Amino acid sequence: MSHGLLFDAFVFLAAAVISVPTAKRLGLGSVLGYLIAGIIIGPYLLNVVGKTDDVMHVAEFGVVLMLFLVGLELRPALLWQLKGPILGTGGLQVLLTTAALTGVAHLIGLPLQQGLAIGLILALSSTAIVLQSL
């Protein structure tokens, strides 16, 4: 199903306006609200938005904005001071989460490469959630 860019932008904004307050009311946080909205309007559930290639451009812009937000939130002096715990604990969290999710994906029948990709994506997406709680 392919619509115009204006329709897709409207769907993204409507999904955000509905999902974020709902997620906040449920105590989940805005980042999880955005993730849930993306899952719902994406190609595997409702398939409301256009082609996946068009959505990827919006997603890439979203990642850039998230990294910009991370840059605004963190002070370089504090980041340098916490480099040991961030690299040690953060790296361990990414490795353990990736291993666990890769194992679960492999158990449900996905090939190892797909399971590893899913595990890494989900492990690294926690950056937005953790930064929000900090």
Side-chain angles (χ1 to χ4, degrees):
M1 180 184 315
S2 180
H3 302 285
L5 180 63
L6 189 59
F7 178 79
D8 288 347
F10 172 75
V11 169
F12 291 138
L13 291 174
V17 165
I18 293 169
S19 65
V20 171
T22 304
K24 284 222 175 226
R25 185 168 297 207
L26 295 172
L28 298 175
S30 59
V31 173
L32 284 176
Y34 289 124
L35 289 173
I36 292 168
I39 291 168
I40 291 171
I41 66 173
Y44 300 108
L45 283 182
L46 296 181
N47 195 19
V48 178
V49 292
K51 297 185 302 185
T52 309
D53 295 338
D54 295 338
V55 176
M56 290 302 294
H57 296 297
V58 175
E60 290 169 358
F61 184 66
V63 169
V64 169
L65 287 177
M66 185 193 79
L67 292 173
F68 184 73
L69 179 66
V70 168
L72 287 175
E73 295 285 330
L74 297 177
R75 294 188 318 266
L78 180 62
L79 191 61
W80 187 255
Q81 194 175 29
L82 295 173
K83 69 180 181 229
I86 288 173
L87 290 175
T89 308
L92 185 63
Q93 180 265 328
V94 168
L95 286 174
L96 292 176
T97 304
T98 300
L101 294 172
T102 302
V104 169
H106 190 67
L107 286 175
I108 63 172
L110 291 176
L112 184 62
Q113 292 86 358
Q114 287 180 356
L116 182 61
I118 290 170
L120 283 168
I121 289 167
L122 293 175
L124 294 174
S125 69
S126 66
T127 301
I129 298 167
V130 170
L131 184 65
Q132 185 182 27
S133 66
L134 288 176

